[in-house]
Each structure stands twice: as structure tokens, then as C-alpha cells.
Amino acid sequence: MNQAVTLSVDQGVALIRIDNPPVNALSPEVIGGLDAAIDRASGDDSVLAIVIIGAGRTFIAGADIKGLEQLAWGSDSGAPEMHELLQKLEDTRKPVVMAMHGTALGGGLEVAMAGHYRVAVPDALMGQPEVNLGIIPGAEGTQRLPRLVGLEKAIEMCVSGKPIKAADALSAGLIDRVIDGELAAGASAFAREMASRTGALPKTRERQDKLPPASALPGMLTAGRDLARKTRRNLEAPVAVVDALEAAATLPFAEGCARERDIFFRLAKSEQAKALIHAFFAERGVSKVPGVSKDTVAAPVHRVGIIGAGTMGGGIAMACANAGINVHLTDASQEALDRGIATIRKNYDVSVKRGRFTPAQVDERMARIAPQVGYDGFSDVDLVIEAVFENMALKKQIAGSVASQGKADQVFATNTSTLDIDEIAAATGRAAKVIGLHFFSPANVMRLVEIVRGNATSPETLATAMAVAKKLGKVGVVVGNGPGFVGNRLMFPYMYETQFLVEEGATPAQVDRALTDFGMAMGMFAVDDMAGLDVGARVRTALGHFSDPRERRPLVHERLVAAGRLGQKRGAGWYRYDEPRTPTPDPEVETLIRSLAADAGIEPRAITDDEILDRAILALVNEGAKALEAGVAARASDIDVIYVNGYGFPGWRGGPMFYADRRGLGEVLERIRAFHRQHGERWRPAALLVDLVSRGATFRDADRARRT
Ligand code: 3HC
């Protein structure tokens, strides 16, 4: 044994405790330690049964993803070598009970399934999330899971990657008992009970009773593959995991394991695994912010005051209420407030219809939101979030009157998407406590929040905002206070490029299809229609775009706005909406585009999907590099997190900057230079990009250099 695994014996039960913070990942030390502990417990005559448990916050949360990252990038090692340990666990002559709390995920659940029995606390989560990293379970999970829970349930768990709770696990047969109360004591009592039983110990690998008969197999597999293609669009692993699960039902255990291992290694080296593992660590990386250390104290946030009960304010109020935070919600008039509350109620009713919440859960959440006109009680809340419309004078006036009266450690956040945080902060007289919290609409659904750091924002204020984002279940990315911050700064060049492409001969539908085929959740024109063309126009004006008359200016957008084609909400924008939310190409718009382009002397030409992708995606990349140069984004990986979580960029491509790295920055720069020659100044290559290419480096290298 070693420091990562300890053993103690109490009343005939050997308690083997895994202690490898933060999440007890399966490092070689843990695997070696478990192996040695099992040997020792097996050889100790005073031991009647064995319990394996995790120290700290969780059971084993999986294989060490740092090792998997090395494997993905070409190392021969990195995959946990588990077969001997799993076999040893299963062949132990004393009952082995796995005692789970926290998260038993991936390799963690695979270890648990090799025990004879499994118990868990009620809020434990168990799952095989490997597909989310572009791989499949690689430690015999695809062979044991269907033997315990049946093939259909195993397909559902492995394809979705979603963990299940203890009650579900119990009814599926994954665990044998739910332990209320102290886990080690409950699991030890259970272990003694099992030791007193006679008869052979149950070995998962020998079980056949849950596997489907041959006649039912084809239907289940077809349904599983359909599910994978439909719900995990473009991902290789969810389809491949069904192949491995099929082997459990058709091959002897050892051959099934060999099949699983082949698929695991093939996928572990794939582009998708590299990208998804990058996305995993990129998301964890956002919590490491220069100037904020582990010792920086975040103020606790129990009560929030929200100013503005419109779409954004209402969505933020729901996000807070969902996270158990009490909210004071205010607006200028009772009428606006009533409208806001009615919208919140309507949105929650939809969640009930979709089965996301029970009516009782909604009542609980509604009770957390206290509507009021005026600012009574606002001076005592821990955090104020201002979400009124984008008007600097109004925001300054609110900040001046509300923020200046708040209790000493109160944080004042503005939900602006375009305005200067420092100017708002200056109106408060306590600029260190002011920050931007740029939520994305609908704020109760979208995971991304840009946390905008002003010149004077203190580390404690930043830490508080980061902790709030986490509490709301969001990914909070700290960005600098530049025009459009990071997300919108990059989006506009991308958006304009798609509009220029239709002027040059493409159609909105062709552009959107090329983008969704690439993997974007939605095409740019569909996004514009959803957000509202008037909103886009307002933001564009606020950001001061096209103030230089020499710049090429999109021709069509403002004409659509003038014609009242504001998008989905009006049933017409770039597309027509005969059904709510279903875009249909509109010949009227295409005629308008052609005529405006002809007036401007633009000859229509055939445009390939490749050109569409390069113009759209490389506009993002080039602007991303400029945002890095300007320091508004701290890391290329932060930009990736923003685009994957807020703008529908496919996670399996890692994000725009990772995509550029993998495409090859040399080629990317060449394309950008060609566009620069052809289209002028807006395509000037970012100096950072030129520099990286000259050094043969990547954005990923630049991030690493910044870390060290
Ligand atoms: N390996 C290495 N590090 C891990 C890890 C893992 N499996 N899981 C989490 N971590 C690290 C994170 O990088 C983070 O490190 P940091 O503090 O240095 O940034 C730290 O643990 C805490 O993680 P979170 O910030 O995510 O903490 P949360 O409490 O929010 O979430 C969690 C905990 C639910 C365990 C979440 O981290 C998670 O989902 N982890 C991944 C689980 C997973 O995918 N397991 C399967 C791995 S693949 C596998 O097992 C293959 C096998 O079949 C062979």
C-alpha cells in the first residue's frame, strides 16, 4: 500500500480507503495501492469482509484524465492498467463491498462493478461519462454494466454519459443497497451481513441473466445506435460504445473485453478525444485567474437584488432561485414587474410540462423571488445585479444610487453586453466592488457567463463573482473590459462575414447549412433571427462599428430591420417562420439580397462550402488572436470555453482556437493572408498569429508558456 490507499481493520471488516485528492482519480499509485491492500486483507485471517471507500468528497471519479491526455497526444502510456486488479477484486474469496458517495464515474464505476456488492449514499451519482471525453469505458465497463443493469439501460447510460442517482441505480440492479447515515459504518454492517451468508460470491463477469436473448438484440442495438446519432450529433464515441456493448451480449467476457480495449485505444488517439479532453481542462482552467489565489476570500452570497425584470433580469432571477438563492426583483413600475413575474411563471410552467421540475419545486423557486417596486432591502443584499436596458446614463444613475448605499462587502454587478464597466464603476465611489456579469439569453439555461474585470475590480470581488457563477451551475470566464468583451467581440466579424457571403452569391440557408454541417449548433442567420435583428443592430451601433466610411458595411441587415423583419418574434427575419422557431428560406429576402448587391456592383458568384467555413470560422480565429493580444482574453482556451458554452461551437472540435491549432496555424495564416489581399483591412492577420507561425508554435503552446 501507499499514501493513496490505506487499510484498517475493525470487527472483522477491512476498510480500504482511497485518498488521492481532489477526486480520487485512478493514478498508478491508487491502482497499486488497491492491489496491495486486497492482498493484505485476503491474507489476514481476522478479516471476514472488505469495504472499499473513498476519502474526502467522493468515491473514485474516474481514470486520471491527465494520463488520458498524454495517451491522446501520442504517449503509449496513460491508460490505466486495470485488468489484473479487477480480476483480483472479483476473485477475492471474501466479500468485497464497494461503498460509494459523491461521484463514481468512469473507471471508478468500473472498479465498483468488479466488487461482489455495491452500496451507496442517497445522493451518490454513478455513471460512465467517457463519451464526453471522446472515448469509451476502457476498464471492462462495457462488459460488466449490461450484465448488471441489462443492455438497454447500459446503452442509455453509456451513450448519454449522464450519471444516475442511487435510487435509480438500486432499481436497475447496479447497487444492492442505499445506505442512509454514515457510509463506512453502514457499508461495514452490510459487509458483515454478506460474510455471514453461505454460497458463492456473485461475480459480475459470470452473470448472464440480464443479457438479452438473441432475438431481442438487433432491435436494441439499432435503437441504441439511432439514439447515439440523434442525441450526440457528430460524436464518434457514443456510436462506438454501442459496438462494445454489443460484444458483451455476443462474445465471451474475455473476448468482449478485448473488443472494448481495441475501440478504447482507437478512440483515445482520435481528434475528437484530443478536442474533448482539451475542452475538459479548458473549462477547469477558467477558475485559475491571475491575481486571484486560493486564499482570496469570496464573500458568501445568500441574497441577491436584481434590477430589471425584463428578459435578462427574469432569467437571472430564475437562475438564482434554481440555485437556492433568495432574490429581490425590482423594476420601475408595478406593471413591468407583473409582466416579468408572469414570464417567469410561464417559463417554469414549460419546465413542469417537460418534466424538468415538479409543481412543488416550482412553487419553492417562485417563493424565493420577491417582486418589489423600489430598492427596499437592497442595501443589505450580498450582490446586486443590474439588468436594465443598455443605456449608459441610466446604468450610471442606478449604480450611483444603489451601489453607493450597499453594505461594505456588497458586490455590484452590471449585466451590460456593450458598455464600459469602468465608467459605470466610477459612478459608485466604490469601484473595487463593481464587476460585469454578462449573462447569455436565456440566462436560466445558457451555461456561459462572462465575468468582466474592470480596472479597479478587487480580487475579492472577482472571487465572489466566480463563486456565484459556480453556484449557479454556470461556467464563468473572466474577461477584460474591452468593446464586446470576448464573445461578442469575436462574433461580429464572424457575423459580418456571413452577411458578405450572401451578398457575394451564397444564400442564408447555404451558409447556415455549411455551419451546422461543420458542427455549429445553429447557423448565424438562424441565430440572428432568434436573438432579434433589432438587438444585433443596437449592439453593433453601441460598439461603434462602421464608423469608418471606408469599411465594407453589410447591406441587407438594416433593410430587414427597417422592414420590420426582426426575426422569430415577428415571424420573419432572414427566414420566414410559418411555424414558431422553424426557419424556411424566403425568396423575398433572397431577391432583396440580390438587388442590394447588384446596386452595390457586386457580381454574384458560386461560393463553396469551404469558402463559407473559412471566411466564417477564420474570422473568429483571427479576432480571437487579436483579443489575446489586447489582453481581454487571458488564454486561448478561455476563448474556446466561451465559444463552446455560449455560441454553440462544437465541443468535439475543442473551440475555435483549438480548431485552428489542429488545422495548422501555418495554413490558417495563409488563408487569412489571402483574404487580406482580397478583402482588405478587416482581414489583417493578428500579430500574435504571425508570431506563433514564425516560431512554429500553437495557441496551446502559448497558453502553456503563460502558465509556467
Ligand atoms: N482525472 C484527473 N483530474 C480530475 C478528474 C479526473 N478524472 N476529475 C476531476 N479532476 C480534477 C479537475 O481537473 C479539477 O482540478 P483542478 O482543481 O486542478 O482544476 C479538480 O479535479 C476538481 O474538479 P472540478 O472542478 O470539475 O470539481 P467538481 O466538484 O465541479 O466536479 C467531478 C467533480 C464531477 C468529478 C468532475 O470533475 C468530473 O466530471 N470529472 C470527470 C469525470 C470523468 O469524466 N471520469 C471518467 C474519466 S475517463 C475514465 O475513467 C476512463 C476509464 O474508462 C478507463
Side-chain angles (χ1 to χ4, degrees):
M1 276 164 307
N2 48 39
Q3 280 185 333
V5 180
T6 56
L7 184 152
S8 58
V9 181
D10 183 33
Q11 297 174 60
V13 175
L15 196 68
I16 298 177
R17 202 179 282 272
I18 303 154
D19 192 2
N20 183 30
V23 295
N24 293 328
L26 284 165
S27 62
E29 290 70 35
V30 170
I31 296 170
L34 277 174
D35 190 84
I38 291 289
D39 282 348
R40 198 156 121 202
S42 295
D44 182 340
D45 290 340
S46 72
V47 171
L48 304 172
I50 300 166
V51 168
I52 300 184
I53 195 166
R57 64 203 241 204
T58 186
F59 190 71
I60 304 164
D64 188 342
I65 302 175
K66 291 204 182 79
L68 295 176
E69 185 178 38
Q70 286 166 13
L71 183 67
W73 289 87
S75 154
D76 286 335
S77 60
E81 290 300 333
M82 308 268 294
H83 175 72
E84 279 173 24
L85 172 66
L86 299 174
Q87 182 142 344
K88 181 177 280 186
L89 282 167
E90 216 161 36
D91 290 343
T92 301
R93 295 231 166 86
K94 301 172 183 179
V96 177
V97 176
M98 301 290 175
M100 295 179 276
H101 74 296
T103 44
L105 300 176
L109 186 58
E110 291 172 297
V111 167
M113 291 191 293
H116 304 121
Y117 304 102
R118 283 152 297 281
V119 299
V121 296
D123 63 356
L125 291 169
M126 286 148 266
Q128 299 286 171
E130 285 87 344
V131 289
N132 298 331
L133 297 170
I135 56 175
I136 68 162
E140 306 174 359
T142 60
Q143 306 305 295
R144 284 196 177 84
L145 187 61
R147 286 176 159 83
L148 287 171
V149 303
L151 185 63
E152 277 179 311
K153 182 81 179 170
I155 288 177
E156 185 192 310
M157 287 175 67
C158 291
V159 167
S160 74
K162 285 192 191 133
I164 60 172
K165 293 198 183 125
D168 190 2
L170 183 67
S171 67
L174 183 57
I175 61 174
D176 302 285
R177 191 171 291 177
V178 175
I179 304 281
D180 290 304
E182 214 268 315
L183 179 61
S188 298
F190 177 84
R192 275 182 217 104
E193 198 183 316
M194 294 304 111
S196 67
R197 282 195 184 169
T198 51
L201 291 167
K203 295 183 184 180
T204 309
R205 69 169 190 261
E206 289 176 356
R207 283 187 52 180
Q208 298 290 330
D209 52 305
K210 289 268 185 112
L211 294 176
S215 58
L217 190 59
M220 286 183 189
L221 294 171
T222 305
R225 290 184 176 111
D226 286 349
L227 178 77
R229 287 193 197 98
K230 206 167 119 214
T231 58
R232 313 298 316 260
R233 195 165 68 94
N234 293 317
L235 290 181
E236 293 162 25
V239 180
V241 81
V242 180
D243 297 346
L245 289 162
E246 175 179 12
T250 53
L251 298 175
F253 183 79
E255 285 174 41
C257 290
R259 184 86 220 283
E260 174 196 271
R261 203 84 180 142
D262 283 349
I263 300 173
F264 170 84
F265 275 107
R266 176 170 60 78
L267 289 181
K269 304 271 178 199
S270 68
E271 277 303 304
Q272 290 199 353
K274 286 185 191 68
L276 287 162
I277 292 172
H278 163 77
F280 177 85
F281 284 119
E283 195 174 314
R284 267 85 203 156
V286 299
S287 62
K288 295 164 185 88
V289 173
V292 180
S293 74
K294 285 216 154 57
D295 305 327
T296 312
V297 183
V301 172
H302 304 295
R303 279 199 305 157
V304 171
I306 298 175
I307 304 171
T311 312
M312 285 316 291
I316 299 168
M318 291 173 77
C320 291
N322 292 344
I325 298 174
N326 291 323
V327 175
H328 290 265
L329 179 64
T330 187
D331 208 311
S333 69
Q334 188 63 47
E335 204 194 343
L337 201 55
D338 292 345
R339 241 191 344 259
I341 290 289
T343 306
I344 292 175
R345 173 50 84 180
K346 205 175 84 204
N347 290 339
Y348 272 136
D349 287 346
V350 173
S351 302
V352 171
K353 267 198 206 110
R354 293 192 181 148
R356 222 184 126 221
F357 295 134
T358 63
Q361 285 170 323
V362 167
D363 289 346
E364 229 173 76
R365 284 162 171 75
M366 289 300 295
R368 288 194 192 114
I369 303 174
Q372 63 182 73
V373 176
Y375 296 121
D376 251 12
F378 269 62
S379 55
D380 291 330
V381 299
D382 307 305
L383 165 71
V384 173
I385 304 176
E386 166 277 297
V388 302
F389 60 88
E390 293 285 271
N391 176 307
M392 180 55 100
L394 177 65
K395 286 190 189 262
K396 275 164 80 169
Q397 182 245 315
I398 289 174
S401 66
V402 178
S404 56
Q405 288 167 29
K407 61 179 181 145
D409 59 350
Q410 182 180 84
V411 170
F412 182 88
T414 167
N415 176 53
T416 181
S417 51
T418 51
L419 301 176
D420 179 359
I421 306 290
D422 292 330
E423 196 178 335
I424 298 172
T428 65
R430 53 208 295 270
K433 292 287 169 198
V434 178
I435 198 158
L437 278 181
H438 180 209
F439 286 85
F440 289 70
S441 189
N444 54 314
V445 177
M446 295 291 289
R447 280 191 86 214
L448 178 66
V449 180
E450 283 185 312
I451 300 175
V452 191
R453 178 184 208 156
N455 264 336
T457 307
S458 70
E460 290 73 24
T461 302
L462 260 179
T464 305
M466 287 161 64
V468 168
K470 186 148 191 174
K471 194 163 175 183
L472 299 185
K474 312 265 178 219
V475 196
V477 185
V478 175
V479 297
N481 179 29
F485 312 129
V486 171
N488 283 344
R489 174 186 175 135
L490 270 65
M491 192 199 67
F492 278 96
Y494 160 65
M495 182 192 217
Y496 298 147
E497 221 50 50
T498 59
Q499 294 180 16
F500 296 146
L501 281 159
V502 298
E503 291 168 13
E504 291 166 33
T507 62
Q510 185 200 355
V511 170
D512 277 2
R513 193 196 25 77
L515 291 170
T516 51
D517 284 354
F518 173 81
M520 298 299 292
M522 286 171 85
M524 192 65 243
F525 292 101
V527 168
D528 202 14
D529 274 354
M530 190 180 69
L533 271 67
D534 50 335
V535 175
R538 244 193 335 263
V539 177
R540 185 182 63 207
T541 310
L543 293 177
H545 289 178
F546 309 115
S547 43
D548 181 345
R550 286 166 305 180
E551 280 177 275
R552 178 169 172 188
R553 189 187 175 102
L555 303 169
V556 187
H557 194 274
E558 28 192 79
R559 290 290 294 268
L560 294 176
V561 174
R565 297 189 67 118
L566 302 183
Q568 280 188 21
K569 59 188 166 193
R570 292 287 173 84
W574 290 99
Y575 296 101
R576 221 177 51 222
Y577 295 85
D578 301 329
E579 301 278 320
R581 289 197 282 274
T582 309
T584 313
D586 190 340
E588 218 177 276
V589 173
E590 281 158 30
T591 308
L592 176 71
I593 296 170
R594 293 278 66 81
S595 108
L596 290 172
D599 291 349
I602 302 170
E603 270 294 307
R605 61 188 171 88
I607 296 190
T608 63
D609 287 0
D610 280 350
E611 180 178 351
I612 291 172
L613 287 181
D614 279 356
R615 297 256 309 262
I617 306 297
L618 299 189
L620 273 181
V621 171
N622 201 30
E623 194 59 31
K626 290 178 184 174
L628 283 167
E629 260 168 58
V632 286
R635 286 167 289 237
S637 63
D638 285 355
I639 298 177
D640 288 338
V641 173
I642 289 173
Y643 263 76
V644 169
N645 290 284
Y647 292 83
F649 200 95
W652 54 271
R653 289 195 191 270
M657 310 314 275
F658 186 81
Y659 163 77
D661 272 356
R662 296 307 295 162
R663 172 104 182 251
L665 290 192
E667 187 190 319
V668 164
L669 179 59
E670 219 174 86
R671 292 296 285 149
I672 289 176
R673 281 191 166 135
F675 291 145
H676 187 209
R677 283 193 296 274
Q678 201 179 341
H679 301 288
E681 208 36 37
R682 71 177 194 275
W683 276 101
R684 173 173 295 283
L688 173 67
L689 182 59
V690 175
D691 174 55
L692 289 175
V693 171
S694 74
R695 292 190 284 116
T698 60
F699 288 116
R700 194 175 150 84
D701 296 332
D703 277 0
R704 288 180 167 211
R706 242 173 255 128
R707 255 200 319 249
T708 48

